[in-house]
Amino acid sequence: MIILVVDTVPLVLRNMDRLLSAHGHEVIAADSGENALKILKRDHRIRLVITDLLVGGMTAVDLFKANMQIERISDDGNSSPPEFILLTRLTTESQLQGKDMHLLQESIDLGFVDVLFKPLVREELLRHVRQIDTDDPWAPPPEPARHSQKSNSAASRVTDHLQQLEEKHADIEANLGEIRETLSTFQADYAHSKRWMKLLISEG
C-alpha cells in the first residue's frame, strides 16, 4: 500500500518511513501541506495519508478538504480518496489548546480514521494501516453510522489524552512547588551560613 506521510519535522518523516517500509508499504514523504497536495493530485494510488495537525501554512483539515476536491479517475472508473489519520502532539497551554481542539474536533467530524498522539504507539498505528490495507479501495464511502462510531471513538481518545496531559501538568506543578520550597529553604540556609562565616572571619 502507498502511504503519504506529511510532517514538517524531517526526523518524524524518516522514522515513519522506516516503520512503514519495514511492514511492506511504500512511503512518500511531504514536508508541507502544499507539497502533499501536489503529490495527491498526481498520484491517485495513495491509500492513506498520515498527517500532523499543522503542516506549514496549512492545517490537516485544509489538506483533507482540498484532497476531497481532487477528481480521481482511472481505467477502472472513479477511485475513492485516501483515508486520513491525524498524528499530532497536544499542549496543555490554554492559548493553543482552544485552537488545536477546534481543529481536532473538525477533523473528527470530517471523517478522519482516527486521531493519534505523539509519542506514537506503533502498534496502534499499524492496526489502522492493516485495516485500511485489507479494505477494498473501490468500495463506497462508509455509512454515516460507521462514521459516527469512528468519530465517537476518536473524540473519546482526544478527551482521554487531554485528561492525561492535565494530570501530568498537575503533577509537574506539584513537583515544581516542592522544588521551589526546597530551593527557598536552601537559599535561606546559605544566606544564614554566609553571614556567620563573615562574622567569624571579621572576629578572627
Side-chain angles (χ1 to χ4, degrees):
M1 179 169 68
I2 300 178
I3 302 173
L4 174 62
V5 180
V6 191
D7 203 293
T8 57
V9 180
L11 179 61
V12 173
L13 294 175
R14 289 196 296 271
N15 288 342
M16 291 294 290
D17 188 359
R18 282 196 295 267
L19 172 64
L20 297 170
S21 297
H23 287 80
H25 303 289
E26 180 181 340
V27 179
I28 302 174
D31 59 4
S32 70
E34 182 180 358
N35 288 336
L37 189 56
K38 291 177 181 178
I39 294 169
L40 287 166
K41 286 179 178 179
R42 68 171 182 258
D43 194 339
H44 299 170
R45 302 170 303 156
I46 296 170
R47 298 275 307 283
L48 172 63
V49 178
I50 302 172
T51 178
D52 197 357
L53 184 62
L54 303 176
V55 281
M58 188 180 290
T59 69
V61 170
D62 296 331
L63 179 60
F64 182 93
K65 291 178 178 178
N67 170 71
M68 295 302 290
Q69 300 301 315
I70 298 174
E71 186 177 9
R72 292 177 169 81
I73 300 177
S74 68
D75 294 337
D76 298 318
N78 293 334
S79 60
S80 299
E83 299 276 16
F84 270 64
I85 290 178
L86 185 61
L87 176 61
T88 192
R89 184 186 303 277
L90 288 185
T91 175
T92 56
E93 296 178 23
S94 57
Q95 185 177 4
L96 297 177
Q97 185 174 318
K99 180 181 178 181
D100 288 353
M101 278 303 299
H102 175 75
L103 290 171
L104 287 172
Q105 185 59 53
E106 190 172 1
S107 68
I108 292 168
D109 294 340
L110 285 170
F112 278 58
V113 171
D114 206 347
V115 176
L116 304 179
F117 299 101
K118 301 173 184 176
L120 175 66
V121 178
R122 294 186 175 189
E123 186 51 40
E124 195 172 19
L125 173 63
L126 293 173
R127 176 171 55 83
H128 285 302
V129 171
R130 286 193 296 268
Q131 179 62 46
I132 294 169
D133 195 22
T134 57
D135 284 346
D136 181 3
W138 307 105
E143 295 297 326
R146 183 183 171 191
H147 165 63
S148 176
Q149 185 177 10
K150 283 184 178 180
S151 297
N152 291 337
S153 173
S156 175
R157 190 185 303 278
V158 171
T159 302
D160 290 345
H161 187 75
L162 280 174
Q163 183 177 352
Q164 292 172 11
L165 285 176
E166 291 294 346
E167 290 173 355
K168 289 179 181 178
H169 182 70
D171 289 341
I172 291 172
E173 285 295 331
N175 291 334
L176 283 175
E178 294 178 2
I179 292 171
R180 291 189 190 102
E181 185 177 348
T182 302
L183 180 59
S184 177
T185 302
F186 171 79
Q187 288 173 332
D189 290 344
Y190 175 75
H192 181 71
S193 299
K194 192 173 181 180
R195 285 195 298 271
W196 271 105
M197 183 64 68
K198 286 182 177 179
L199 181 61
L200 290 172
I201 292 174
S202 62
E203 291 180 350

